[in-house]
Amino acid sequence: SMSENKIVSLVTKERSEKEEYNRDLLEIVDNFRKMVANGEVVEFVISSLDTEGEVVITSCCKDFIGGIGLFEMGKHTLMMQSSFDFE
């Protein structure tokens, strides 16, 4: 029937959008990995969200204080960019 086709279409669109989003995530990770391999990145702090909604902080820094500073600078930069995006 007509309604069955619409449901299948919506599921397919949702799956397609999720696959596209996953490709975007992997592209960012791949580019970041290349920057590390090329020596462009020497320390990092990454904030991520897992499937259960938990925030995960991944860091590779010379010391704890440096990691906190790097995280705070990243937070400030993100907030500044976001304020321009939503004006």
Side-chain angles (χ1 to χ4, degrees):
S1 76
M2 183 71 107
S3 62
E4 287 176 12
N5 289 338
K6 288 182 181 178
I7 292 170
V8 170
S9 176
L10 288 174
V11 169
T12 303
K13 182 179 179 193
E14 184 178 313
R15 181 176 294 134
S16 172
E17 289 172 353
K18 183 178 180 187
E19 289 172 358
E20 185 176 324
Y21 184 72
N22 282 344
R23 277 194 303 271
D24 290 344
L25 290 174
L26 289 171
E27 181 180 344
I28 291 168
V29 170
D30 289 344
N31 286 333
F32 189 78
R33 187 181 194 294
K34 289 175 186 172
M35 291 170 61
V36 171
N38 291 338
E40 298 172 59
V41 173
V42 294
E43 296 185 41
F44 62 83
V45 177
I46 299 170
S47 178
S48 59
L49 191 64
D50 70 14
T51 56
E52 295 173 7
E54 295 292 322
V55 174
V56 179
I57 305 293
T58 306
S59 66
C60 183
C61 297
K62 293 181 175 92
D63 57 39
F64 180 75
I65 299 297
I68 297 293
L70 190 55
F71 184 84
E72 289 297 324
M73 288 186 306
K75 182 176 78 172
H76 177 74
T77 301
L78 182 62
M79 288 175 10
M80 291 303 293
Q81 288 177 346
S82 295
S83 67
F84 291 115
D85 291 343
F86 295 110
E87 285 183 351

